[in-house]
Amino acid sequence: MASSTLICETQPWKDLKAHLDDIKNTHLRNLMSDTERCKSMMLEFDNLFVDYSRQCATADTIDKLLKLAEAARLKEKITSMFNGERINSTENRPVLHAALRAPRDAVIQNDGTNVVPEVWQVLDKIRDFSERIRTGAWVGATGKTLTDVIAVGIGGSFLGPLFVHTALQTDPEGIKSATGRKLRFLANVDPIDVARNITGLIPETTLVVVVSKTFTTAETMLNARILREWISSSLGPEAVAKHMVAVSTNLTLVKKFGIDPENAFAFWDWVGGRYSVCSAVGVLPLSLQYGFPVVEKFLKGASSIDQHFRSTPFERNIPVLLGLLSVWNVSFLGYPARAILPYSQALEKFAPHIQQVSMESNGKGVSIEGVPLPFEAGEIDFGEPGTNGQHSFYQLIHQGRIIPCDFIGVVKSQQPVYLKGEVVNNHDELMSNFFAQPDALAYGKTAEQLLNENVAQHLISHKTFSGNRPSLSLLLPSLSAYNIGQLLAIYEHRVVVEGFIWGINSFDQWGVELGKSLASQVRKQLHASRKKEPIEGFNFSTTTMLTKYLEASEDVPADPSTHLPNI
Ligand code: F6P
């Protein structure tokens, strides 16, 4: 494919469009009865099991998708990524997040330099620092051990670490290693989030980690200044050196903020924010809470998937096949959304993280060459753990719109519970739903079945389920740090595969800039308006809303003295 050719102009894309008629004549009820087909749609790797037999697809569809991958030069693009080529062309950067979890002896080049030694230099610094904090070798300004951590950051500097923290919180190894410690995340600039974070903590025993790739994000920097004040008003300004550290690519701004660059943990511009959980962004706060050895297992799980993704033939390659099937669902079957449904409460923050990884990466309207796309790229991701979601939005998924679902199950619960005399234990009850839902979606229920069950005539249409609703199931052996790393890397690479097929840049995020610059115009106006200057330069709607807001909050001082939340 010539570099400026859009993927939709290639023959494999056209063949898939033509193939839609074959698929429209099938129903999952029939497809599922073909055991050979189902067998060919199951994958196993490193104790993971993936079943995509409930996708509206045949062996022919997979063949055609693999041809599409060839037309998109998927293999070459994956190789270019791992080789450190500047595939993020609008920012002129390589995309090397896989290097963050590469083994110490791996070689991954950026501009002729192996980046793995510098990755390990930072990891070793984190190991050492987190051990000193955890053992009390590094103490706060009054000599007390720092048992609590507030990580200040937003977006990619927040969602991934929060997902992993939430998942490890109930893991027996996680619990043991985090005894006596607290980890909190301050993301929102909303003062309520500030209040929630500092409530119950005291500066004397708290370490603040400011996490920002750029060290310019308005919300993060305001929150960081608030916490700096929280510390210095209680312990004196010199205490900041003992109570605040940073994670950033911008060490100049770290220093300007007042944090000693010695106490800063670097990462690199070849790590996209949403792909940064395996850098110091995630590894530092998580190591402070759980210890580096636990976090290292998480990195190893992710690395295992990196190697699988890089070297496994596409017909057995989990992220590649999942990515291709997503493209099939979005671009051919016309299903724009995807539900991420982990049957594990420990994964409650997984969907929010993948929302950013997927939608910030692939929510694009032009090709990587800047040509407007004549098709929709990107997927609308949302999700909740099962079975909570079942009692919320599954009605729409079963009888309303068609939303391909990812069911994620775990064989061994982190926290088994048994009650004598019950038919099944809690985890088996949970997993009964994990196994039942995909079949309910795939098979549905016909009017004929309902008649046989003597359902009243006037309820038949209400109780009919069309079925033929695609899903895939991913079964993890347990939810250890290692498995959490595997899960993360599968989704990261799957999103990248989708972007490579659509021919877009999955590594930039220009779409977030306009709102930021408009907010800065409003910020200036609010500052002026608090000093009673008139509102200028906004449209009628915004002017009206600003006026109402300002009139109703006249008591806000124009030049306030510091006031920190106290709840
Ligand atoms: O506004 C979006 C964004 O740029 C994300 O891409 C990023 O993860 C987040 O803001 C936070 O950025 P930083 O880590 O530079 O503070």
Side-chain angles (χ1 to χ4, degrees):
M1 182 174 89
S3 67
S4 57
T5 308
L6 293 172
I7 189 66
C8 60
E9 293 161 2
T10 64
Q11 195 54 45
W13 184 280
K14 290 175 190 159
D15 291 346
L16 278 161
K17 282 278 177 202
H19 175 61
L20 270 179
D21 282 341
D22 307 334
I23 292 300
K24 281 187 183 145
N25 289 328
T26 64
H27 193 288
L28 280 171
R29 241 175 251 142
N30 306 324
L31 294 178
M32 292 302 292
S33 64
D34 178 347
T35 310
E36 282 312 307
R37 171 188 166 279
C38 292
K39 224 192 259 175
S40 73
M41 294 186 167
M42 290 171 181
L43 301 165
E44 274 183 89
F45 172 72
D46 199 10
N47 295 318
L48 301 173
F49 180 74
V50 181
D51 179 355
Y52 61 92
S53 60
R54 289 178 192 76
Q55 290 286 309
C56 295
T58 60
D60 194 18
T61 319
I62 303 299
D63 260 14
K64 288 183 160 52
L65 285 169
L66 291 170
K67 294 219 167 70
L68 185 71
E70 256 174 58
R73 297 184 305 109
L74 181 61
K75 185 77 203 154
E76 290 97 302
K77 288 177 182 174
I78 295 172
T79 306
S80 303
M81 180 171 91
F82 280 95
N83 283 350
E85 286 169 36
R86 293 176 182 260
I87 60 170
N88 176 0
S89 52
T90 61
E91 295 180 316
N92 192 27
R93 290 172 182 169
V95 175
L96 284 173
H97 48 274
L100 300 170
R101 54 247 185 168
R104 217 180 258 276
D105 57 357
V107 177
I108 299 184
Q109 305 274 5
N110 172 28
D111 268 345
T113 306
N114 180 13
V115 297
V116 178
E118 36 177 339
V119 165
W120 275 94
Q121 214 174 355
V122 176
L123 290 176
D124 287 338
K125 184 171 168 181
I126 294 175
R127 183 204 308 262
D128 173 64
F129 178 72
S130 57
E131 273 318 293
R132 280 193 288 148
I133 293 282
R134 288 168 58 83
T135 56
W138 171 303
V139 289
T142 60
K144 289 204 172 151
T145 304
L146 301 177
T147 49
D148 307 320
V149 170
I150 304 179
V152 185
I154 199 162
S157 294
F158 157 59
L159 291 161
L162 176 69
F163 140 59
V164 181
H165 171 52
T166 312
L168 283 175
Q169 234 169 358
T170 37
D171 169 48
E173 192 182 26
I175 293 172
K176 204 168 155 216
S177 56
T179 307
R181 304 199 59 83
K182 286 192 199 85
L183 171 60
R184 294 185 180 177
F185 293 90
L186 173 54
N188 203 331
V189 76
D190 184 341
I192 294 168
D193 209 13
V194 178
R196 285 183 179 172
N197 264 274
I198 61 179
T199 298
L201 299 188
I202 50 168
E204 258 191 304
T205 51
T206 303
L207 177 73
V208 173
V209 183
V210 184
V211 187
S212 175
K213 180 173 170 181
T214 53
F215 233 68
T216 58
T217 302
E219 300 93 316
T220 299
M221 296 325 296
L222 178 51
N223 279 339
R225 290 191 292 274
I226 298 265
L227 291 195
R228 185 178 59 190
E229 180 62 23
W230 180 63
I231 289 163
S232 57
S233 61
S234 160
L235 304 173
E238 56 300 334
V240 168
K242 284 279 174 198
H243 290 261
M244 285 188 100
V245 299
V247 175
S248 187
T249 57
N250 194 337
L251 299 184
T252 312
L253 288 185
V254 168
K255 190 171 175 200
K256 214 163 158 199
F257 179 86
I259 294 176
D260 184 349
E262 273 299 299
N263 301 332
F265 298 82
F267 67 115
W268 306 271
D269 69 0
W270 41 260
V271 183
R274 54 196 173 271
Y275 299 98
S276 67
V277 56
C278 295
S279 73
V281 165
V283 175
L284 178 62
L286 293 165
S287 297
L288 288 164
Q289 179 70 1
Y290 298 103
F292 185 79
V294 173
V295 182
E296 198 176 5
K297 290 180 191 170
F298 160 73
L299 297 178
K300 280 194 174 140
S303 173
S304 151
I305 295 296
D306 295 340
Q307 284 157 40
H308 165 82
F309 176 52
R310 196 176 180 177
S311 58
T312 308
F314 285 175
E315 54 279 12
R316 284 184 287 113
N317 190 313
I318 296 172
V320 166
L321 285 166
L322 298 194
L324 288 172
L325 286 164
S326 288
V327 171
W328 170 239
N329 285 325
V330 173
S331 299
F332 297 94
L333 293 172
Y335 305 144
R338 169 178 58 183
I340 298 171
L341 309 169
Y343 277 66
S344 168
Q345 197 60 32
L347 293 176
E348 68 178 311
K349 296 295 178 191
F350 184 56
H353 176 50
I354 298 307
Q355 278 174 199
Q356 189 199 8
V357 174
S358 168
M359 296 204 267
E360 197 168 77
S361 296
N362 290 341
K364 306 289 162 66
V366 297
S367 74
I368 195 156
E369 285 87 17
V371 180
L373 295 177
F375 57 86
E376 302 276 3
E379 226 163 17
I380 303 158
D381 294 274
F382 70 101
E384 272 293 318
T387 66
N388 295 11
Q390 290 175 204
H391 299 275
S392 166
F393 53 81
Y394 277 35
Q395 166 63 39
L396 180 140
I397 291 178
H398 281 289
Q399 284 188 313
R401 306 176 67 137
I402 298 185
I403 303 196
C405 296
D406 289 359
F407 289 97
I408 303 168
V410 180
V411 175
K412 268 193 177 172
S413 175
Q414 288 178 332
Q415 292 295 328
V417 171
Y418 304 97
L419 186 60
K420 191 172 159 59
E422 289 292 330
V423 180
V424 288
N425 64 60
N426 281 54
H427 190 66
D428 283 350
E429 176 66 29
L430 176 73
M431 292 303 282
S432 303
N433 288 276
F434 167 83
F435 292 114
Q437 289 292 332
D439 277 341
L441 289 168
Y443 289 81
K445 198 161 190 181
T446 63
E448 202 185 351
Q449 285 172 302
L450 292 164
L451 282 171
N452 286 339
E453 289 171 11
N454 295 323
V455 170
Q457 191 63 46
H458 71 284
L459 289 178
I460 298 281
S461 60
H462 294 280
K463 291 192 162 192
T464 299
F465 292 72
S466 61
N468 204 31
R469 290 163 187 260
S471 70
L472 59 87
S473 303
L474 171 57
L475 198 53
L476 305 169
S478 64
L479 211 49
S480 63
Y482 185 88
N483 303 135
I484 297 164
Q486 289 176 306
L487 184 63
L488 171 84
I490 288 176
Y491 274 76
E492 283 182 348
H493 293 321
R494 172 195 196 170
V495 164
V496 165
V497 166
E498 291 170 55
F500 281 161
I501 299 288
W502 282 317
I504 58 180
N505 185 350
S506 299
F507 310 106
D508 61 11
Q509 58 284 318
W510 300 107
V512 300
E513 296 304 326
L514 180 59
K516 282 187 197 170
S517 64
L518 293 185
S520 113
Q521 200 184 326
V522 177
R523 185 185 302 124
K524 278 190 204 128
Q525 179 65 58
L526 286 177
H527 178 77
S529 296
R530 293 293 180 206
K531 294 184 186 304
K532 307 292 175 221
E533 287 175 31
I535 298 175
E536 270 171 358
F538 295 92
N539 59 40
F540 177 73
S541 165
T542 307
T543 304
T544 306
M545 281 196 292
L546 281 173
T547 306
K548 282 192 173 298
Y549 175 72
L550 288 160
E551 277 173 3
S553 60
E554 262 181 345
D555 54 332
V556 171
D559 209 356
S561 48
T562 298
H563 167 84
L564 296 179
N566 183 18
I567 56 171

